[in-house]
Amino acid sequence: MTTSLNYAIKYVSDMDMAVAFYSKQLGLRLRFQSPDWSEFETGATTLALHPASEEHPAGSCQLGFVVPDIDNFYNKRVNDGVVFTSPPTAMHGHKIARFKDEDGAESSVSGP
């Protein structure tokens, strides 16, 4: 089963300033911008910006992976001892699960 990194989510304190930085200073192509979610084209992996919160302070990041079979991935990884903070749940046209890595950082994994 192939797991691919498809999102890097950066939590920001000011969406307009962050979009300006990544587009003007780094030259990334803006896919779209909204007050709650903005995305840049970066090749195989999308850079997404999301407003910071108490749970996700400004400057922190979260990784998003994609797999071809989310239910199989989830069942196998639970049996292998991976700690999931949420099981596969239908969101935004996909199933998304959240898990913690060995340092306790939360990431997401999605699939059909």
Side-chain angles (χ1 to χ4, degrees):
M1 176 179 301
T2 302
T3 302
S4 300
L5 178 66
N6 66 331
Y7 272 91
I9 303 166
K10 171 88 179 333
Y11 295 95
V12 300
S13 59
D14 183 304
M15 185 64 74
D16 291 333
M17 285 178 54
V19 167
F21 176 81
Y22 286 100
S23 61
K24 291 181 178 136
Q25 300 301 327
L26 297 184
L28 297 180
R29 195 177 88 175
L30 184 64
R31 183 181 294 157
F32 71 87
Q33 179 179 355
S34 76
D36 295 320
W37 189 267
S38 299
E39 291 186 0
F40 291 92
E41 299 283 344
T42 63
T45 303
T46 297
L47 172 61
L49 304 180
H50 190 66
S53 65
E54 189 173 309
E55 181 182 3
H56 301 286
S60 64
C61 295
Q62 185 177 43
L63 302 177
F65 299 92
V66 64
V67 294
D69 184 341
I70 184 72
D71 294 318
N72 184 38
F73 177 90
Y74 175 78
N75 291 327
K76 180 171 180 359
R77 297 308 183 264
V78 164
N79 288 334
D80 290 343
V82 173
V83 176
F84 281 83
T85 56
S86 70
T89 305
M91 297 171 67
H92 314 294
H94 302 278
K95 283 185 180 178
I96 299 174
R98 299 193 188 288
F99 65 93
K100 298 241 179 179
D101 69 13
E102 77 288 351
D103 290 321
E106 188 175 59
S107 294
S108 65
V109 60
S110 66

